[in-house]
Amino acid sequence: QVQLVESGGGLVQAGGSLRLSCSASGSKFSINTMGWYRQAPGKQRELVATITNGGTTNYADSVKGRFTISRDNAKNTVYLQMNSLKPEDTAVYYCKASVTPFIYAYVYWGQGTQVTVSS
């Protein structure tokens, strides 16, 4: 079982910045894609940003221009730099990793880290 450990969440005022980190361990195979998702109270979990092992990124429209996802493949670590934070960004942020050793895709989730943006 792959374990994902997130860090960097906290409380910040609108316009501030936070940097989230997620480190993966326990995988016998290389991790194909890592990403960040978030879930606000009363809402479904939504994609924030993803990055492949080749460096291809994908962002939700709501965070484009403000958030940046990056990855250190050697360390199996993914980062999310969040700038110009808004109260609407308040949510639990979850790290996600996918592993495809052969024909099946396995998805793993971190326990989440709380991000709260105050006005």
Side-chain angles (χ1 to χ4, degrees):
Q1 186 82 359
V2 175
Q3 293 183 338
L4 304 176
V5 180
E6 302 112 325
S7 63
L11 174 64
V12 65
Q13 292 188 357
S17 300
L18 286 173
R19 184 173 183 260
L20 306 183
S21 299
C22 173
S23 296
S25 62
S27 178
K28 297 182 179 180
F29 305 92
S30 61
I31 299 174
N32 300 109
T33 302
M34 300 188 74
W36 292 94
Y37 292 69
R38 66 187 182 186
Q39 187 168 17
K43 296 184 178 181
Q44 296 184 0
R45 189 172 299 184
E46 64 177 357
L47 180 148
V48 177
T50 61
I51 183 169
T52 69
N53 55 1
T56 301
T57 59
N58 182 42
Y59 296 92
D61 290 338
S62 60
V63 306
K64 287 182 178 178
R66 299 188 298 120
F67 292 8
T68 302
I69 188 170
S70 60
R71 176 174 179 170
D72 187 333
N73 290 331
K75 298 180 179 179
N76 282 330
T77 301
V78 65
Y79 307 92
L80 184 68
Q81 179 66 46
M82 305 184 294
N83 298 325
S84 301
L85 283 163
K86 305 175 181 179
E88 296 78 48
D89 296 318
T90 296
V92 177
Y93 284 70
Y94 297 91
C95 180
K96 178 185 177 182
S98 64
V99 180
T100 309
F102 301 105
I103 63 173
Y104 297 107
Y106 298 88
V107 178
Y108 303 92
W109 293 92
Q111 67 178 13
T113 183
Q114 178 70 48
V115 172
T116 303
V117 184
S118 62
S119 301

